[in-house]
Amino acid sequence: MYGSRGAGAFAARRVSAVVLGAALLVTGCSSGGEGGSDKGGDAGAGITQQPKETAPFWVNPEGTAAQQLVNLEKSGKKQDAEQIRKIAEQPVAEWIGPDNPQEQTRGLTEAAEKAGRTALLVLYNIPHRDCGQYSQGGAADGNAYREWLDGVAAGIGDRPATVILEPDALLHLVDGCTPEQFHEERYDLLKGAVTKLKSLKNTKVYLDAGNAGWQNPDQIFEPLNRAGIAQADGFSVNVSNFYSTEDSISYGKQLSAKVGGKHFVIDTSRNGKGPYTGGNPDERWCNPPGRALGETPTTKTADPLVDAYLWVKRPGESDGECKGGPKAGQWWADYALKLAKASS
């Protein structure tokens, strides 16, 4: 729908399987502590945590990529398995679904803490989400969202978490996608979410701020201010998109200068070859061919204003039912393999 589209292509998934894996970790299937070298889970993939000094975020050893890795190995497809390992061994964000948010966030943050790492979470449940596109939905209304958020916060508690808050929510206010009658409520919900999450002892919050394709920081910095950026740790850019890290840094620095020098994080999950320029311009964001994994998650970045490169979008999960893809958020094994093979 939009040439500068961001995360709207990513459905907020139910993460019951992930929480189950987290529960297994908590009950003793992993002894990964500060060193982070212990294997977690019993999926058989041999997934370990990344070095904490460079990538402090939790690697879920029971994730979808890890499961595919095991299946490929069992099928004797060892070369493909090693390609998928490029995804499985990296920390990727967990998108919190609408059901049982307290259970979800508790399981994930407990598993991360058990491994001596920080949980990376995405909240994507704002009412009137995604303007009726592939990932439409969200909470029924403002009160339902506040109740859901209360559950999220209760589940996180005092455990370490980094939260990416509502991808596309502000961008869709600015570009006219979200009807005017919902604007004031959305600002109130976002500001309330920042306040709620920042009241937690060890939670960092990054408000989503679009991507380099937007090319207009002047139109989004005031919405960021209204949504509570002053209280947040910073903002996120390029979520579920493909713009290069260099272009994302440039965009982020322009925006940072307008919001008090706030730091930002960049989604590098699929930006290894930059954005797709072929096909229908309205759907270049949706499962574009020929893309590659980008820089692996790390807090060691190329600019002091960039707090981290993150894999916010989960590589291998579909943007939506376009170009032969499954529903938004569903694992697409062939696409995952192509992303991995195209990366260095």
Side-chain angles (χ1 to χ4, degrees):
M1 181 177 176
Y2 297 100
S4 60
R5 192 173 181 84
F10 194 97
R13 304 169 301 113
R14 295 185 64 181
V15 293
S16 55
V18 174
V19 175
L20 175 60
L24 290 173
L25 278 175
V26 173
T27 55
C29 288
S30 171
S31 58
E34 291 299 314
S37 61
D38 298 294
K39 294 181 181 180
D42 59 355
I47 302 301
T48 62
Q49 300 300 317
Q50 292 292 327
K52 189 172 183 178
E53 63 273 14
T54 57
F57 305 101
W58 179 58
V59 178
N60 182 0
E62 306 279 345
T64 312
Q67 294 171 26
Q68 186 186 353
L69 193 165
V70 171
N71 291 336
L72 288 168
E73 287 181 336
K74 288 180 177 178
S75 301
K77 299 178 180 179
K78 293 188 177 181
Q79 290 185 335
D80 286 352
E82 287 310 301
Q83 291 295 330
I84 293 300
R85 185 176 292 277
K86 295 178 183 178
I87 299 173
E89 69 183 5
Q90 295 300 329
V92 296
E94 304 288 353
W95 293 60
I96 304 304
D99 299 327
N100 303 316
Q102 184 171 342
E103 178 185 344
Q104 292 181 56
T105 54
R106 179 183 292 118
L108 294 165
T109 55
E110 284 181 349
E113 185 178 54
K114 177 78 172 179
R117 298 297 188 273
T118 297
L120 178 60
L121 309 175
V122 183
L123 304 192
Y124 188 51
N125 195 37
I126 203 78
H128 319 293
R129 188 184 70 202
D130 202 33
C131 307
Q133 295 303 296
Y134 291 121
S135 295
Q136 63 182 295
D141 54 33
N143 287 335
Y145 184 83
R146 293 182 186 96
E147 182 178 355
W148 176 81
L149 184 70
D150 286 345
V152 167
I156 294 173
D158 289 343
R159 290 176 290 276
T162 292
V163 175
I164 307 301
L165 184 58
E166 295 298 341
D168 280 354
L170 285 177
L171 186 64
H172 284 167
L173 295 181
V174 176
D175 65 13
C177 175
T178 301
E180 181 71 30
Q181 66 262 34
F182 303 129
H183 286 204
E184 288 303 319
E185 178 186 63
R186 181 166 295 184
Y187 282 123
D188 182 67
L189 292 176
L190 291 172
K191 191 168 185 177
V194 172
T195 300
K196 168 72 72 172
L197 294 166
K198 286 306 298 175
S199 71
L200 303 177
K201 185 178 180 180
N202 292 303
T203 296
K204 291 186 176 181
V205 181
Y206 294 88
L207 267 167
D208 189 62
N211 55 70
W214 181 241
Q215 293 292 346
N216 205 337
D218 285 342
Q219 286 187 276
I220 202 166
F221 80 90
E222 277 300 341
L224 274 171
N225 285 331
R226 292 181 64 183
I229 188 65
Q231 192 177 356
D233 293 274
F235 57 91
S236 59
V237 301
N238 204 48
V239 171
S240 292
N241 222 302
F242 302 84
Y243 292 96
S244 71
T245 301
E246 181 181 7
D247 287 346
S248 295
I249 291 174
S250 177
Y251 171 78
K253 291 178 74 170
Q254 292 177 60
L255 189 51
S256 173
K258 296 177 180 295
V259 291
K262 284 288 183 178
H263 288 208
F264 57 100
V265 295
I266 301 171
D267 185 354
T268 59
S269 58
R270 305 182 298 174
N271 73 346
K273 293 188 181 299
Y276 180 57
T277 58
N280 182 347
D282 290 340
E283 285 206 343
R284 285 174 176 168
W285 55 269
C286 191
N287 299 324
R291 302 307 93 194
L293 303 173
E295 289 97 339
T296 54
T298 183
T299 53
K300 306 293 185 182
T301 69
D303 193 281
L305 282 174
V306 183
D307 285 347
Y309 302 145
L310 302 174
W311 284 9
V312 182
K313 165 71 179 185
R314 300 165 64 86
E317 291 184 354
S318 177
D319 290 321
E321 296 171 273
C322 60
K323 302 182 181 71
K327 290 182 178 180
Q330 290 188 3
W331 183 258
W332 189 3
D334 289 344
Y335 196 81
L337 191 58
K338 289 175 181 177
L339 284 172
K341 286 182 175 180
S343 63
S344 57

